[in-house]
Amino acid sequence: MAYTISSTEIQKTTRALQPARPTPWAWLMLPGSIFLAVLFVVPLGWLLLLSFGAPDWTIAHFVRIAQNPAYIGVLRTTLQISCVVTALTFVLSYPIAYALTTGGTKLRTFLLIAVVLPFFTSVLARTFAWVVLLGRNGVINEILLQLGWVSQPVALLYNRIGVIAGMTHVVMPLMILPMLTVMSSIDQRLLRAARANGASPLAAFLTVFLPLSLPGLIAGILLVFINCLGFYITPALLGGVSDVTITMEISAQVVGQLNWNFGAALSTVLLVAVMAVLWLGSRFFPIEQLLGFSDDKIGLDKTARRQMGTQWLMRIGSAANALDRWLPSMGGRGIPIFASFLAVLLLLPVVIVAYLSFSASSYFVFPVPGYSLQNYERYFSDPLWLRATVTSIRIALMATTMATMLGAMLAFGLSRGRIRGRGAMIALVLSPIIMPTVVVAVATYFVLVQVGLQGTEFGLALGHAVHAIPYVVVIVVANLRDLNPTYERAARSLGAGPLATFRTIIAPLVMPALIVAAFLAFLISFDDVVYVLFLGIGRIATLPMRMWEGITQDINPTIAAVATLQMVFATIVIFVNTLLGRRKAQS
Amino acid sequence: MLMRAMPSSTDVKTGGIALHSLQKRYGAAMAVDDVSLSVSPGEFISLLGPSGSGKTTTLMMIAGFEMPDSGRVLLDDKDITRLPPHRRELGVIFQNYALFPHMTVAENVAYPLRMRRVPKAQLEARVNRVLDQVHLGAFAARRPHQLSGGQQQRVAIARALVFDPPVLLLDEPLGALDKKLRQHLRNEIKTLHRDVGKTMIYVTHDQEEALAMSDRVAVMHEGRIRQVSAPQDIYRRPADLFVASFVGEVNLIPAKLRSGVAHGPADETLAAPAWSDGDMDATLCVRPEHLHLGTGEAAAPGIQGHVTGMTFVGDATIVEFRSNSGLQLTSKVLNISAGAMLGVGDNCTASWATNDATILTE
Ligand SMILES: Nc1ncnc2c1ncn2[C@@H]1O[C@H](COP(=O)(O)OP(=O)(O)O)[C@@H](O)[C@H]1O
Ligand SMILES: [Mg+2]
């Protein structure tokens, strides 16, 4: 989801690369857009119709939501959790993003690992880590008991505390990455200029850095808030009976009670809420640009809107400067140390799960009584686990093939082709990662049922492909931006036809990006549990599905081994990505 | 805090900078190596050198953004080596200007005054005055990206002037501009220097700029200052081979100095100023415009050879000359008269006046 920030870049790039006349490139968009129309737009439309009781039109479902205190309670819980988590995430993320921008090379590398590794580790594995940390016999309670700070285990899991802690941890990378994108585009010399003009470090931060990083902060807050509203896995696994969120209610209605119309109505409410937040955000930030809804032009009125806040910060900065002489010199160490501490917290759950996976005990005991590979042995000798793994790989391969091919074609079409309504096209391509996954999955389920594809591995792969296409597009488009068109012109001038140019110039240069995109698409499908819960429940046992069942039923340490293997796989993806990136930078 | 009501042109006592053996190392490489320099109040001094010679690093140590590994920076005899940049009261004009993109021109210029908590009425008056001074009064409400490069440059200057610092530090301020504009702004900065009388330390890799603007030029190479002199002396009396070849074009002629006479590669006698260090091997430096090519009886004694190429460059013609011993020399002849000139292949003799040659030993 954090990749959406680059859609502004898509806009810029694509315009810069556009040839003067319409080109056949635009046709490349056709297969992908049909795919997304059938598997994304149609399902959401269908969902809307169902929520109004089609074919017997009624608004009774919405009335029921509005009048039943239970559902009002669900909405309130969702909103409360989302607000608290967003606020907490913001406070914890800003120092990390700041240190990531301004710190030394070593600090930056460490922080980046701390942000990126959890980001690529599946939400399920990270949520599982919190189950292990917060449980009655969990790591935190063990430590508290051993220190003698409490005499009985404290209830941390299956209540609001657990949900908020887990969700905050899971969404932090989503806040940090867009902040980082904007912050790292701030010219560091501006801070020097502020200092040279008499601003203390604090004043320079308040009057120059903070106002300039504002778009990133708003983007991060929006992304995280939207994500929280539609979050399913973490609240479902860590929350208690009083923490039912709207996504859990949707799942209960659709899967549990087969109450499709009402589930559709709840989904529509969630969808409208997300759109409303996006719209609200667009009043402070050119979100239409972030999502590709408009063709550029950040007008002056936007900057004027920000003016007020800036003036205010200027006053505070100026006041801070007057105090500078009396304030003790803070030295530059405070922020890096604090950021590193937060980064350790970000990494810790993931690390603890890996540590516990090597335990010699068949229960979660902290610290481990001894090391062994028994959890891994159990995984590799259990036909159920292995079959689930193979199923996951099979589905992921199907999804990867579809997403990579369609996504790459879309990317080429968007970059090189000229059509009307390209902005709308970009919005369509990117929205599967903005819309709540639960809603998209439910909608897809409704449509697949019509054609008898529900509960099939192919149907599931279709769903995963829709979700993976935006990532593929963003990665490939970013790569095409770096592809200097003069190479192609040179090839053409040297006698290569269009096809030969593609084969000898474009394809080899885009290949690394395609590989990265394919890995990411694979990871998205391989880690998914939300789609499986709706599209394949009871029929398809993927690896995450088995983990999910394991976590909800008996929390056995084999899951720790599986989660660790998933993390190792994520690490490989990051590594390949970095390696290909470096090779490209060298060439 | 510096808040004089009068412009500092009446006050030439402040603004002296002294650098004592500054050293700065990045990893294994010496970025600045034992740099000492004394700049008098009101002086315009350039740090001239190729890219990577340590000019910016030196300037940033004066501004307080880099901490020297050793050595001291003095401002008017006060040690400011450890003073943080915002308390140094030095105006800095950065490479690429570093204007705040989220503020208008007026807000940019007001920034240093806001940071000093200058009262509003006084602040506005000073901002307006300095904006008028750089002819940007009409652009106060614009944002930096709505200005041309030259206008942005003026805003940067206005911002650095408005709090009336005794010293301005400029890091390649004209680097991003095209040639015509560079020359124009060069004159503007020079005029400004005359008007405000501030000490200016000007970093550039453009020798023409340095020679045209400065009272003195400090030539830097590999972190060291090789020569500090008035522009004329830098050009006419370079202290070493690097300075000679970095500033302007030069002919380098290997010479053997034996008992008061200079001998060329083919043992011919060469014109050279007197020296006092006894016999040695040296290099004679002769600027192309001082190298005369003569034919026949009229030719002064010098190096025998022939013309290998001629290039017309407008005001002058560059004549390539190759001596019989294989030495390649260049002569620059002003196109004053349309009289008969040499042609390619003509035999001739290269000579110069005794005082136009510099002896360098290295
Ligand atoms: N922050 C830095 N880290 C490492 N090396 C640096 C840094 N800044 C400058 N250098 C090195 O120090 C030398 C001098 O740089 P600089 O002062 O920028 O030169 P100039 O301004 O004359 O081009 C160069 O070799 C440069 O690579
Ligand atoms: Mg420099």
Side-chain angles (χ1 to χ4, degrees):
Chain A
M1 218 180 194
Y3 279 100
T4 48
I5 191 82
S6 335
S7 68
T8 323
E9 286 170 26
I10 298 189
Q11 288 269 358
K12 272 193 235 138
T13 332
T14 49
R15 195 157 311 111
L17 286 175
Q18 262 176 50
R21 279 174 292 111
T23 63
W25 286 110
W27 288 105
L28 285 177
M29 283 185 266
L30 198 61
S33 36
I34 293 175
F35 188 84
L36 287 179
V38 171
L39 286 158
F40 181 71
V41 179
V42 168
L44 284 183
W46 193 287
L47 182 93
L48 215 58
L49 295 183
L50 275 181
S51 70
F52 285 103
D56 321 307
W57 300 102
T58 168
I59 56 161
H61 303 297
F62 294 103
V63 174
R64 186 170 150 214
I65 295 173
Q67 286 180 344
N68 190 328
Y71 299 125
I72 296 291
V74 166
L75 295 182
R76 195 187 313 120
T77 305
T78 309
L79 216 57
Q80 277 171 354
I81 291 178
S82 300
C83 288
V84 173
V85 169
T86 306
L88 198 59
T89 306
F90 176 77
V91 172
L92 298 179
S93 299
Y94 197 92
I96 297 187
Y98 181 79
L100 253 171
T101 324
T102 54
T105 319
K106 278 196 197 119
L107 177 68
R108 290 213 317 265
T109 311
F110 168 65
L111 293 179
L112 206 59
I113 291 172
V115 174
V116 171
L117 187 66
F119 183 59
F120 279 92
T121 303
S122 76
V123 174
L124 198 56
R126 281 184 281 164
T127 307
F128 170 70
W130 283 96
V131 174
V132 173
L133 280 175
L134 300 176
R136 263 189 86 73
N137 307 313
V139 174
I140 290 177
N141 269 321
E142 288 273 351
I143 293 173
L144 290 179
L145 286 170
Q146 273 166 27
L147 288 174
W149 290 5
V150 295
S151 52
Q152 280 179 15
V154 190
L156 299 168
L157 195 59
Y158 309 127
N159 58 25
R160 199 56 71 85
I161 298 174
V163 178
I164 287 171
M167 271 174 76
T168 302
H169 178 244
V170 169
V171 295
M172 262 174 77
L174 287 185
M175 182 78 86
I176 294 172
L177 292 174
M179 279 186 181
L180 185 60
T181 310
V182 173
M183 285 184 188
S184 51
S185 72
I186 298 175
D187 187 348
Q188 293 293 317
R189 280 173 303 195
L190 295 177
L191 291 174
R192 286 195 160 187
R195 299 293 308 283
N197 282 309
S200 66
L202 182 61
F205 170 80
L206 289 171
T207 56
V208 176
F209 193 87
L210 193 56
L212 288 174
S213 66
L214 226 47
L217 312 193
I218 296 172
I221 288 172
L222 275 178
L223 276 180
V224 164
F225 190 72
I226 289 170
N227 211 49
C228 284
L229 287 179
F231 215 146
Y232 178 64
I233 301 171
T234 307
L237 289 179
L238 301 182
V241 279
S242 62
D243 306 306
V244 176
T245 61
I246 186 160
T247 49
M248 292 155 76
E249 191 60 43
I250 292 172
S251 164
Q253 293 293 337
V254 174
V255 179
Q257 305 172 25
L258 299 179
N259 200 346
W260 286 14
N261 294 92
F262 191 62
L266 282 169
S267 303
T268 305
V269 170
L270 176 54
L271 213 54
V272 169
V274 167
M275 300 300 256
V277 172
L278 280 177
W279 177 80
L280 209 69
S282 73
R283 299 184 52 84
F284 299 95
F285 177 75
I287 189 117
E288 63 276 10
Q289 217 193 31
L290 184 76
L291 297 176
F293 286 127
S294 92
D295 257 17
D296 175 12
K297 283 192 208 72
I298 320 172
L300 271 178
D301 59 340
K302 187 215 90 206
T303 29
R305 244 180 255 147
R306 233 195 288 150
Q307 193 83 346
M308 242 167 51
T310 311
Q311 292 294 354
W312 203 62
L313 283 171
M314 177 63 82
R315 234 165 263 149
I316 301 178
S318 168
N321 215 31
L323 294 176
D324 179 53
R325 276 149 206 277
W326 289 275
L327 289 175
S329 162
M330 284 196 286
R333 308 240 46 91
I335 290 162
I337 291 172
F338 186 52
S340 307
F341 170 72
L342 292 175
V344 168
L345 285 188
L346 201 53
L347 268 179
L348 212 54
V350 182
V351 173
I352 285 178
V353 168
Y355 165 73
L356 291 175
S357 74
F358 294 104
S359 171
S361 161
S362 24
Y363 302 95
F364 284 116
V365 187
F366 188 88
V368 297
Y371 296 99
S372 92
L373 289 174
Q374 59 163 326
N375 291 321
Y376 293 88
E377 281 160 17
R378 215 171 294 140
Y379 165 72
F380 281 111
S381 61
D382 183 343
L384 283 179
W385 275 115
L386 288 182
R387 207 177 308 138
T389 310
V390 173
T391 306
S392 274
I393 293 176
R394 204 163 45 226
I395 293 169
L397 284 178
M398 280 192 274
T400 304
T401 312
M402 289 188 279
T404 311
M405 278 172 46
L406 295 170
M409 283 160 82
L410 276 169
F412 270 100
L414 283 173
S415 295
R416 302 287 168 91
R418 274 166 63 95
I419 50 159
R420 286 224 238 146
R422 230 184 69 261
M425 192 72 198
I426 293 170
L428 168 69
V429 169
L430 293 180
S431 18
I433 42 180
I434 288 288
M435 298 305 157
T437 318
V438 166
V439 173
V440 181
V442 166
T444 312
Y445 173 63
F446 292 153
V447 167
L448 290 188
V449 167
Q450 307 301 317
V451 290
L453 277 175
Q454 88 281 18
T456 66
E457 291 182 4
F458 179 64
L460 184 54
L462 287 176
H464 287 170
V466 169
H467 199 67
I469 281 176
Y471 293 95
V472 174
V473 172
V474 169
I475 290 173
V476 177
V477 164
N479 188 267
L480 284 175
R481 177 193 48 228
D482 304 335
L483 186 65
N484 191 337
T486 50
Y487 295 151
E488 291 155 56
R489 286 192 205 121
R492 298 296 292 271
S493 77
L494 295 170
L499 218 63
T501 306
F502 185 84
R503 198 166 41 80
T504 57
I505 307 293
I506 302 177
L509 287 175
V510 174
M511 199 43 79
L514 276 185
I515 295 174
V516 172
F519 262 109
L520 198 61
F522 189 93
L523 205 59
I524 286 165
S525 166
F526 193 75
D527 287 345
D528 164 76
V529 72
V530 174
Y531 278 92
V532 192
L533 281 172
F534 289 94
L535 301 184
I537 189 121
R539 304 241 202 128
I540 311 174
T542 61
L543 190 63
M545 191 66 198
R546 285 230 5 135
M547 288 172 75
W548 174 272
E549 281 165 355
I551 298 170
T552 46
Q553 286 151 21
D554 59 326
I555 301 168
N556 79 64
T558 314
I559 302 172
V562 181
T564 308
L565 288 175
Q566 272 191 333
M567 287 183 249
V568 171
F569 182 60
T571 314
I572 292 173
V573 173
I574 301 171
F575 187 70
V576 169
N577 190 355
T578 321
L579 211 65
L580 287 173
R582 189 166 305 155
R583 220 187 55 186
K584 212 180 100 199
Q586 275 167 3
S587 63
Chain B
M1 199 173 289
L2 229 134
M3 253 190 277
R4 283 164 298 181
M6 296 294 290
S8 64
S9 50
T10 56
D11 180 1
V12 289
K13 286 280 180 282
T14 62
I17 293 269
L19 310 181
H20 288 308
S21 316
L22 283 185
Q23 272 199 1
K24 180 75 187 176
R25 180 190 289 280
Y26 289 113
M30 271 297 194
V32 170
D33 191 0
D34 196 23
V35 162
S36 297
L37 185 65
S38 172
V39 186
S40 7
E43 189 178 6
F44 192 122
I45 193 164
S46 291
L47 297 182
L48 172 68
S51 172
S53 54
K55 310 179 296 284
T56 299
T57 309
T58 305
L59 202 72
M60 288 301 128
M61 287 193 284
I62 302 174
F65 293 112
E66 301 287 354
M67 207 46 78
D69 297 333
S70 64
R72 291 188 306 152
V73 180
L74 306 185
L75 169 61
D76 294 326
D77 300 324
K78 200 178 78 183
D79 190 333
I80 58 166
T81 318
R82 307 267 144 204
L83 201 65
H86 62 290
R87 302 219 193 113
R88 292 199 178 194
E89 302 292 339
L90 301 175
V92 184
I93 293 166
F94 291 83
Q95 225 164 348
N96 301 65
Y97 328 130
L99 298 179
F100 304 124
H102 58 303
M103 299 179 197
T104 62
V105 166
E107 286 168 339
N108 261 286
V109 175
Y111 189 89
L113 303 180
R114 297 290 303 255
M115 287 304 125
R116 288 165 176 79
R117 299 181 74 70
V118 172
K120 194 158 177 145
Q122 198 192 342
L123 178 142
E124 276 170 12
R126 284 170 73 172
V127 168
N128 289 337
R129 197 179 59 207
V130 76
L131 276 179
D132 286 339
Q133 202 173 353
V134 296
H135 315 296
L136 281 176
F139 297 92
R142 296 234 190 141
R143 278 170 197 274
H145 67 90
Q146 296 168 311
L147 300 180
S148 73
Q151 289 167 334
Q152 291 184 18
Q153 180 57 65
R154 290 205 197 101
V155 178
I157 293 174
R159 190 175 66 179
L161 279 178
V162 72
F163 64 102
D164 203 19
V167 180
L168 281 192
L169 308 176
L170 305 95
D171 190 0
E172 312 227 4
L174 308 180
L177 305 171
D178 61 60
K179 194 161 182 234
K180 267 259 148 52
L181 199 55
R182 288 175 76 110
Q183 279 177 355
H184 180 67
L185 281 168
R186 198 158 90 185
N187 296 336
E188 270 193 20
I189 292 177
K190 194 72 196 132
T191 312
L192 188 79
H193 176 242
R194 216 177 38 230
D195 291 351
V196 300
K198 292 183 190 304
T199 310
M200 294 203 180
I201 303 183
Y202 188 98
V203 161
T204 180
H205 67 266
D206 183 330
Q207 37 137 336
E208 211 179 302
E209 221 166 83
L211 296 179
M213 298 172 78
S214 321
D215 297 326
R216 281 192 304 155
V217 178
V219 182
M220 289 191 73
H221 182 49
E222 290 174 344
R224 290 173 164 272
I225 292 188
R226 308 295 285 257
Q227 183 173 8
V228 190
S229 305
Q232 293 84 347
D233 293 336
I234 292 279
Y235 189 77
R236 301 192 61 119
R237 297 279 166 253
D240 61 24
L241 281 175
F242 172 78
V243 177
S245 32
F246 184 72
V247 181
E249 302 291 317
V250 73
N251 290 300
L252 298 176
I253 301 148
K256 294 186 179 65
L257 310 184
R258 298 287 182 269
S259 34
V261 182
H263 301 277
D267 222 28
E268 61 271 69
T269 303
L270 302 179
W275 70 95
S276 56
D277 301 350
D279 291 358
M280 58 184 160
D281 290 351
T283 306
L284 286 184
C285 300
V286 181
R287 300 285 176 191
E289 66 270 26
H290 295 147
L291 190 89
H292 304 292
L293 298 177
T295 49
E297 306 293 302
I303 300 176
Q304 304 288 326
H306 63 279
V307 175
T308 58
M310 302 189 55
T311 312
F312 176 72
V313 293
D315 58 339
T317 300
I318 308 296
V319 184
E320 304 290 338
F321 169 90
R322 190 182 170 81
S323 78
N324 296 340
S325 54
L327 199 60
Q328 196 73 44
L329 301 176
T330 306
S331 166
K332 182 175 181 179
V333 185
L334 284 182
N335 297 328
I336 299 169
S337 65
M341 285 197 66
L342 292 162
V344 174
D346 291 357
N347 284 319
C348 54
T349 306
S351 62
W352 53 87
T354 304
N355 277 334
D356 288 337
T358 309
I359 297 173
L360 293 176
T361 53
E362 222 167 291

